[in-house]
Amino acid sequence: LWPMELYLDRLCHRATTRICSLPMTNPVAKIAKSITRRVKKQPSPLHILMDKYDASWENTETITPAIRRPSKDNKFKVVIPVSRKESKEMEEKDDADIKIASDGSGYEGGIGAAAVLWRSGKEGMAKLKLHLGDENTQTVFAAEGAGALLGWHLLSKEREMQGKKISFYIDSQALVKALTTGKTKSGQWVVEFFVRKINQWITTHKPERLTIIWITAHSGVE
């Protein structure tokens, strides 16, 4: 059995989490959302709970059930090589007209994302980068998803894509697998948004193929 003090603390923490994840259709959610600052004089029980667990309605992520079938409706193909060597060889032999590489990672307490796009037979490349925040409020998985969205943004600026071959390299196997499984997890909204945008883009621009390929790391890949 848990010590009584820890057991009560656990119940209070669970109740606070549930309050912060209520939908706006619930009257209590509107009250929780209105608590944006700490009250020192005559705080309500809800103020005390929010302050004790450093919780807030706005900073709580609600993970919704999967809203799409795993991979049946995806218009893109996903490839996961079995080794780093195979992934590099695949990239070297890739005859795609356009290649995109995205990445997300943490560095010195910060979390960021980046993406590059380069065209076959042309010099130079398009680049985008984004600083998401610190490691206390962001995750590397969310950064990987943000990097993929940056890559999609670069792709959306391209013109005359009908019949083109496109390869999209991502170094996060967790993200690549999430594109086809549809399972609920933290950062799911990034995955769902990316899948929806990529499928819409393919429908509109009609490339010959768009393949999302896992590569163990972008270092050493030219």
Side-chain angles (χ1 to χ4, degrees):
L1 295 177
W2 286 54
M4 183 56 67
E5 182 179 353
L6 294 178
Y7 180 70
L8 291 175
D9 183 71
R10 182 187 182 191
L11 291 178
C12 290
H13 183 269
R14 183 185 300 172
T16 305
T17 303
R18 286 178 175 174
I19 290 172
C20 290
S21 60
L22 290 172
M24 286 307 297
T25 52
N26 190 302
V28 179
K30 297 178 181 179
I31 300 174
K33 187 177 181 179
S34 67
I35 300 177
T36 57
R37 61 186 180 85
R38 308 309 179 194
V39 177
K40 295 183 179 181
K41 294 183 178 180
Q42 298 180 337
S44 68
L46 195 53
H47 278 95
I48 294 173
L49 288 174
M50 294 288 196
D51 184 55
K52 177 177 175 61
Y53 300 108
D54 193 25
S56 70
W57 187 88
E58 300 241 345
N59 293 331
T60 301
E61 178 186 3
T62 301
I63 303 175
T64 56
I67 58 176
R68 61 182 171 86
R69 289 181 289 182
S71 60
K72 190 173 181 179
D73 298 327
N74 287 338
K75 301 180 184 300
F76 55 85
K77 181 182 178 182
V78 171
V79 177
I80 301 180
V82 297
S83 67
R84 173 175 172 79
K85 180 180 179 180
E86 182 180 328
S87 66
K88 291 183 65 176
E89 291 175 350
M90 181 177 293
E91 194 278 331
E92 291 169 356
K93 297 177 181 178
D94 193 354
D95 63 347
D97 300 294
I98 289 181
K99 296 181 182 179
I100 305 165
S102 68
D103 194 12
S105 60
Y107 180 71
E108 294 184 351
I111 302 292
V116 296
L117 179 150
W118 64 101
R119 307 162 190 82
S120 177
K122 294 185 179 180
E123 296 183 359
M125 58 180 64
K127 304 176 183 178
L128 278 178
K129 59 182 179 180
L130 176 68
H131 178 253
L132 278 71
D134 60 55
E135 60 186 8
N136 295 319
T137 59
Q138 302 292 334
T139 64
V140 173
F141 181 82
E144 294 282 4
L149 287 174
L150 292 178
W152 163 79
H153 184 74
L154 291 173
L155 181 61
S156 68
K157 300 298 182 182
E158 296 295 308
R159 296 294 179 265
E160 299 180 359
M161 289 289 99
Q162 186 171 352
K164 300 293 185 179
K165 292 178 285 187
I166 303 162
S167 294
F168 200 131
Y169 290 92
I170 298 175
D171 74 343
S172 169
Q173 192 168 144
L175 176 60
V176 174
K177 288 182 177 179
L179 299 177
T180 58
T181 59
K183 293 182 178 179
T184 57
K185 63 185 302 181
S186 179
Q188 175 193 344
W189 68 271
V190 180
V191 176
E192 296 293 340
F193 187 78
F194 176 74
V195 169
R196 184 168 65 253
K197 288 298 183 181
I198 284 292
N199 282 324
Q200 289 174 350
W201 186 90
I202 294 173
T203 301
T204 302
H205 295 275
K206 297 179 173 57
E208 179 181 327
R209 66 165 173 83
L210 191 153
T211 308
I212 296 177
I213 307 168
W214 171 68
I215 191 166
T216 55
H218 301 319
S219 59
V221 177
E222 299 179 356

